[in-house]
Amino acid sequence: MKKLEEYVRSIPDFPEEGIIFRDITSVLQDADGLHMAVEGLIDQLKDVDFDVVVGPESRGFIFGMPVAYELHKSFVPVRKKGKLPCETIEKEYALEYGTAIVEMHKDAIKPGQKVVIIDDLIATGGTIEAIIQMIEELGGEVVKISFVMELAGLKGRDRLAGQDIVSLIRYEGK
């Protein structure tokens, strides 16, 4: 049986020279790879007491939804600004060149709810940091953060110090 990292396509010198782009779409395009990734995320949560899964647009939707479904939990999408129809809470965060804003519905997290965040990749941790702030502002508690892949060289874990973070695949570089 193949290991999950064997389903990840590595593309050298993209988006710039010296960078190895880790392409998650090759995992999604293979039924065994997708199954392995989702089952791996579910396994990471087997002893975690939580109420809701939060997933950022768009690959957090792809991986978070089947986990929420399988574990019979609710799912909360985090979207880019302007994509949600009801009253929202938002956070701005830094990108490599500029800033971005993510938002979620104000009624998505209830006070006291225990939350798991699921996404495809942790790089610098900026998006997840903004999501944690929104969850806490709404009265929720982040109890675990699960990723399919981690680019350890970008030090996202450092930015999210104090959080319970797991990843299925860890790449030491950027």
Side-chain angles (χ1 to χ4, degrees), residues 8-138:
V8 176
R9 180 173 35 204
S10 296
I11 303 166
D13 299 323
F14 183 84
E16 59 188 52
E17 192 171 329
I19 301 292
I20 300 175
F21 184 82
R22 307 299 181 173
D23 184 12
I24 197 80
T25 61
S26 53
V27 174
L28 301 174
Q29 292 168 344
D30 188 288
D32 292 334
L34 177 58
H35 188 263
M36 190 178 295
V38 172
E39 286 297 314
L41 292 166
I42 290 169
D43 286 347
Q44 291 176 334
L45 300 174
K46 65 182 174 202
D47 296 322
V48 179
D49 176 30
F50 68 102
D51 306 300
V52 60
V53 173
V54 169
E57 187 171 356
S58 65
R59 289 177 295 259
F61 296 5
I62 293 168
F63 291 105
M65 276 295 303
V67 171
Y69 175 83
E70 182 65 26
L71 297 177
H72 200 74
K73 305 296 182 179
S74 60
F75 180 81
V76 172
V78 174
R79 307 267 339 247
K80 295 172 185 163
K81 184 173 175 62
K83 301 288 184 181
L84 292 171
C86 297
E87 190 176 3
T88 61
I89 181 173
E90 66 181 45
K91 287 292 173 192
E92 184 173 15
Y93 63 98
L95 298 169
E96 189 174 355
Y97 302 104
T99 61
I101 298 173
V102 291
E103 60 184 12
M104 66 174 35
H105 283 137
K106 273 192 172 178
D107 63 356
I109 304 294
K110 310 290 185 276
Q113 280 190 312
K114 295 178 182 175
V115 179
V116 167
I117 302 171
I118 295 179
D119 203 1
D120 69 321
L121 175 72
I122 179 173
T124 64
T127 306
I128 300 301
E129 182 181 47
I131 293 169
I132 292 167
Q133 291 169 0
M134 288 189 296
I135 290 166
E136 290 175 347
E137 194 171 319
L138 293 173

